[in-house]
Amino acid sequence: MSSDSARQQCGALYVEHHRWLVGWLRYKLGCLHDAADLAQDTFVRVLGSRELQTEQQLQEPRAFLVMVAGRLVSNHFRRRSLEQAWLETLAALPEQQVPSPEVQTSLLQSLHEVDAMLDGLAPRVRQAFLLAQLEGCTYAQIAERLGISVRTVKRYMAEAYEQCIMLTL
């Protein structure tokens, strides 16, 4: 499918389903502004993807849009939760330890990047990585706690580190 054809299909999806998608997102999010933003992000994601090319998705456009928008809703709630935890952490700090607004922004961005990296990992890989990074467990300890071999732990850690590297490129 050519890029012009994909743009035309996305445009048709937008015209036919944008209002409906905003309504669906408003119901999910409880906020018209967030719903409008995520609807726009959904169509940007559709336009930038190759997912639009399958016949099934063209036959069931609302199901396709819900799938794409649903991922964005999940990311939105996870991001909001992370930001709330960050604000609570800042509020608990003594005034002299509160970082400058510039540092706060940089740290929050780093938290979002780490969150995205962790979200991209399979649950067992994520668990092994967090045991190593946050609890300082050795590979043997991780293997014992997860009931897997040390070789599997090494494979999981390699996968996690690869994900870290991919996000920094």
Side-chain angles (χ1 to χ4, degrees):
M1 177 182 300
S2 73
S3 63
D4 286 340
S5 176
R7 269 191 233 112
Q8 288 175 345
Q9 284 186 330
C10 187
L13 272 177
Y14 186 91
V15 168
E16 294 174 28
H17 302 287
H18 179 263
R19 181 181 292 224
W20 171 83
L21 183 60
V22 171
W24 183 83
L25 286 165
R26 184 177 186 185
Y27 172 77
K28 290 287 186 189
L29 300 169
C31 173
L32 178 59
H33 297 294
D34 288 343
D37 286 346
L38 287 183
Q40 196 68 22
D41 290 347
T42 299
F43 285 102
V44 168
R45 181 83 42 105
V46 168
L47 185 59
S49 77
R50 295 178 179 231
E51 294 177 2
L52 191 58
Q53 297 178 12
T54 69
E55 190 65 31
Q56 180 186 7
Q57 290 158 347
L58 297 175
Q59 291 175 355
E60 298 291 334
R62 289 187 175 180
F64 171 61
L65 291 172
V66 164
M67 178 189 69
V68 175
R71 292 180 198 148
L72 293 172
V73 168
S74 176
N75 290 342
H76 172 79
F77 282 126
R78 194 177 70 249
R79 187 174 187 96
R80 183 179 284 171
S81 175
L82 181 64
E83 289 171 0
Q84 184 60 41
W86 171 245
L87 291 173
E88 290 170 8
T89 300
L90 284 176
L93 289 175
E95 189 175 332
Q96 65 273 18
Q97 291 183 353
V98 174
S100 70
E102 296 82 13
V103 172
Q104 288 181 34
T105 300
S106 177
L107 289 172
L108 184 59
Q109 179 61 34
S110 295
L111 285 172
H112 285 301
E113 290 170 5
V114 168
D115 179 59
M117 187 279 298
L118 292 173
D119 187 54
L121 297 175
R124 299 283 284 189
V125 175
R126 180 175 44 248
Q127 188 176 12
F129 181 76
L130 291 174
L131 286 170
Q133 298 302 311
L134 299 180
E135 296 186 26
C137 293
T138 66
Y139 287 7
Q141 291 169 328
I142 295 168
E144 185 177 324
R145 285 180 67 174
L146 298 182
I148 57 178
S149 69
V150 172
R151 183 177 180 188
T152 300
V153 172
K154 288 179 182 178
R155 194 180 76 235
Y156 285 175
M157 294 303 291
E159 187 178 327
Y161 287 130
E162 182 179 335
Q163 181 77 1
C164 289
I165 290 168
M166 295 304 292
L167 286 175
T168 60
L169 298 178

